[in-house]
Amino acid sequence: NKMGDTLVAGSYSSSNNQRVTHRDGASQIFNAGVSHQIGKANFKLGFSHSSLANPLLTRYPSHRPASLQTLQNVGIGFKYQIQAHHDFFMAAYRQKSHVSLGKTMFGNKFVIGSNYHLSKHTHLYAFLNHANGSDSGKMIKTISSATVGVVHRF
């Protein structure tokens, strides 16, 4: 019996900081995503929006530092099953963040990698990650990394 080729998922969470009497004491996070399988290829799209509480909020305005207020992420991904035990994946993400002082910052992340399954319980993985960000149109940071690892399920 074959299951469907499309997966749709979503979540919403809300939390409240009881020590803060201002409306910024509550955080809401919304996530949504879809994945579709075509043969050996799997395509993914996801979105996340977070309205965050300010944990440093005080009753005294002069003591309020700049803090992250909202965060939005959009991601697209692709995975291809090369062989029964080997797959290849790539993904791209775009992030927009807004801080309390009226600044908006953007970030980009690109990932490419592979999984190699040694057994149904153990697999090796490796990926390259490149990320950059901008503030008011100016590039502020570029980071690249390489990661290798092993996963074993008990």
Side-chain angles (χ1 to χ4, degrees):
N1 187 9
K2 184 176 185 247
M3 299 293 285
D5 293 329
T6 302
L7 171 71
V8 177
S11 67
Y12 173 80
S13 67
S14 179
S15 63
N16 193 23
N17 182 345
Q18 298 299 325
R19 294 183 190 184
V20 179
T21 57
H22 189 273
R23 68 170 176 78
D24 284 346
S27 293
Q28 293 87 32
I29 301 172
F30 170 76
N31 298 294
V34 63
S35 172
H36 185 72
Q37 185 82 30
I38 301 174
K40 293 182 175 188
N42 186 285
F43 301 91
K44 300 173 189 236
L45 175 66
F47 173 78
S48 175
H49 177 85
S50 304
S51 296
L52 305 172
N54 182 350
L56 301 175
L57 188 64
T58 69
R59 296 176 195 266
Y60 309 102
S62 63
H63 294 107
R64 293 182 186 167
S67 64
L68 184 61
Q69 289 183 322
T70 61
L71 185 64
Q72 295 175 331
N73 287 291
V74 175
I76 59 171
F78 169 79
K79 183 165 116 175
Y80 184 77
Q81 195 75 38
I82 298 168
Q83 298 175 349
H85 59 280
H86 190 202
D87 62 58
F88 164 80
F89 60 88
M90 347 190 296
Y93 305 91
R94 175 80 167 160
Q95 182 179 78
K96 178 181 177 184
S97 56
H98 180 76
V99 294
S100 60
L101 297 178
K103 287 183 138 186
T104 299
M105 296 182 285
F106 293 92
N108 301 298
K109 182 177 178 180
F110 307 96
V111 180
I112 186 169
S114 184
N115 293 298
Y116 186 84
H117 298 268
L118 300 172
S119 70
K120 71 178 188 174
H121 295 285
T122 305
H123 77 271
L124 306 174
Y125 64 90
F127 62 89
L128 300 174
N129 179 14
H130 178 77
N132 59 43
S134 64
D135 180 6
S136 303
K138 297 178 185 174
M139 188 64 69
I140 55 173
K141 189 149 301 224
T142 297
I143 300 170
S144 295
S145 65
T147 302
V148 295
V150 62
V151 174
H152 182 77
R153 291 175 180 86
F154 292 93

